[in-house]
Amino acid sequence: MTRIAIIGPGSIGGAVALWLEQTGRHDLTLCARRPLAKLSMDSPAGHLEARLKVWTQPAEAEPVDWVLVATKATQAAATALWFPRLVGPTTRVAILQNGVEHIELFSPYLPIERIVPVMVALSSERPAPDHILQRGPGRMVVPDDAKGRDFVALLQDTPIDVKTSSDFKTVVWRKLCGNAPGVINALLLQPTVVMRGEKIGELARALVRECIAVGRAEGAALDDDVEGAVVQALRQAPPDSINSLHADRANGRPMEIDVRNGVIVRLGRKHGIPTPCNAMAVALLEAMQDGSAGPSPRG
Ligand SMILES: NC(=O)c1ccc[n+]([C@@H]2O[C@H](COP(=O)([O-])OP(=O)(O)OC[C@H]3O[C@@H](n4cnc5c(N)ncnc54)[C@H](OP(=O)(O)O)[C@@H]3O)[C@@H](O)[C@H]2O)c1
């Protein structure tokens, strides 16, 4: 049996854990901050429930074949405290997070040849600490190399569609283009319907245009039509949908500002590409997060 540890049994980690558990082919352990007697999920494919082994302290952990990291990118340093006990001589570590810098974020803590970056497209939320709601089908993409192909094999027999790509850079930058306008919702604390307004739509386009320019400078093959496609998709999304940046701000949790918009500004600066819209959004959201902009929505 393949030994797998999942760090961060939240919306993504919990969903993946339950799907892997169903295959009956793995020895699975959750690495969590608190005990979890059971985990359940409602998904388009039905209801799942399991009692899984849980470690709540890094000192309890043992070496495994695969570590799946599903914490937020803001938690990299705390996540890394698990690695010394989990990672043995042949362990691979898959990073199931948003962003384009999976390797850069975790290379201070792990040899890069162990890291498998994963693009996650799976809409899920956690209405309770032990319950997950998966809203649609899950899709993941990994680089087309030996580790990526092993990751595809690991997830086989689950309903998550995992594929390799020979152009992973373009895959993650395309996803980032889709995420970049979400900062508008987090700033306004308004769901996706706000994108249907003409001026907000123009602002969303500008955020995506900056992302495309920086992504191209980084080597991603992004077509001009990405800009229109992103805004159209947002306008057609369920009007009440709430992205994770918005949800995290509304609930007073740390926001993934840097992996979603800060990275566009940082890498834009490196390439001499102006990113004024993303820079303003990042500055405003960071000021709200650190309290320098006044009381949070929870006041
Ligand atoms: N949810 C989605 O629809 C979705 C879609 C695509 C991509 N993503 C990306 O996937 C990543 C994970 O997001 P998510 O939505 O699954 O987040 P989430 O629901 O907040 O789950 C994060 C989990 O990590 C746990 N955690 C935090 N620090 C930890 C530590 N030091 N040790 C162990 N566990 C720790 C949290 O524990 P607590 O319960 O104690 O807080 C929580 O269970 C993010 O990068 C996100 O952007 C999410």
Side-chain angles (χ1 to χ4, degrees):
M1 275 195 151
T2 313
R3 294 164 303 166
I4 305 175
I6 301 188
I7 310 178
S11 313
I12 297 297
V16 172
L18 285 167
W19 288 124
L20 284 169
E21 169 68 12
Q22 264 223 327
T23 68
R25 294 196 293 117
H26 309 295
D27 172 7
L28 212 63
T29 310
L30 305 177
C31 299
R33 292 197 283 202
R34 58 199 103 236
L36 262 178
K38 67 167 179 56
L39 199 57
S40 61
M41 173 165 73
D42 288 305
S43 83
H47 182 82
L48 283 82
E49 201 162 311
R51 289 176 192 281
L52 298 167
K53 203 167 30 161
V54 182
W55 290 320
T56 56
Q57 298 293 330
E60 299 171 72
E62 293 164 12
V64 292
D65 302 304
W66 277 93
V67 175
L68 309 188
V69 170
T71 52
K72 287 272 172 71
T74 50
Q75 302 294 323
T79 299
L81 297 176
W82 289 95
F83 295 155
R85 296 289 294 239
L86 290 174
V87 178
T90 58
T91 308
R92 279 148 300 172
V93 182
I95 311 296
L96 282 61
Q97 291 184 337
N98 265 330
V100 297
E101 293 182 314
H102 305 69
I103 291 180
E104 290 82 348
L105 194 58
F106 283 94
S107 57
Y109 313 108
L110 290 166
I112 58 170
E113 60 274 14
R114 301 299 186 84
I115 304 175
V116 183
V118 185
M119 191 287 289
V120 181
L122 188 162
S123 175
S124 65
E125 56 198 74
R126 204 165 40 135
D130 61 354
H131 185 68
I132 293 149
L133 191 59
Q134 184 181 325
R135 290 201 173 273
R139 197 170 61 81
M140 295 185 188
V141 182
V142 287
D144 188 12
D145 55 21
K147 285 175 299 179
R149 288 189 285 274
D150 286 349
F151 183 80
V152 173
L154 190 72
L155 271 281
Q156 79 183 20
D157 301 334
T158 76
I160 302 172
D161 174 23
V162 191
K163 294 216 161 33
T164 59
S165 169
S166 56
D167 188 3
F168 185 72
K169 192 182 279 283
T170 297
V171 170
V172 285
W173 275 94
R174 176 63 182 80
K175 173 96 195 281
L176 189 67
C177 286
N179 279 343
V183 73
I184 298 173
N185 307 92
L187 285 165
L188 296 176
L189 291 171
Q190 297 281 333
T192 307
V193 67
V194 76
M195 295 294 174
R196 297 182 188 182
E198 194 185 330
K199 289 179 184 170
I200 295 292
E202 277 311 306
L203 179 54
R205 280 180 174 276
L207 288 159
V208 179
R209 263 198 308 278
E210 292 177 6
C211 187
I212 292 172
V214 177
R216 283 176 178 164
E218 284 286 303
L222 297 166
D223 295 334
D224 286 337
D225 60 12
V226 169
E227 180 189 321
V230 165
V231 176
Q232 190 184 4
L234 289 169
R235 287 179 162 168
Q236 288 171 352
D240 56 349
S241 53
I242 288 179
N243 70 56
S244 67
L245 206 58
H246 174 179
D248 285 342
R249 180 171 174 232
N251 288 291
R253 297 187 295 250
M255 293 179 274
E256 289 183 308
I257 305 171
D258 187 63
V259 290
R260 291 176 64 124
N261 298 91
V263 63
I264 299 169
V265 180
R266 277 190 288 109
L267 296 178
R269 201 174 295 130
K270 180 179 107 181
H271 293 289
I273 296 171
T275 57
C277 295
N278 280 279
M280 185 166 104
V282 167
L284 291 173
L285 213 49
E286 282 181 352
M288 287 164 183
Q289 176 155 272
D290 70 20
S292 57
S296 73
R298 288 186 144 185

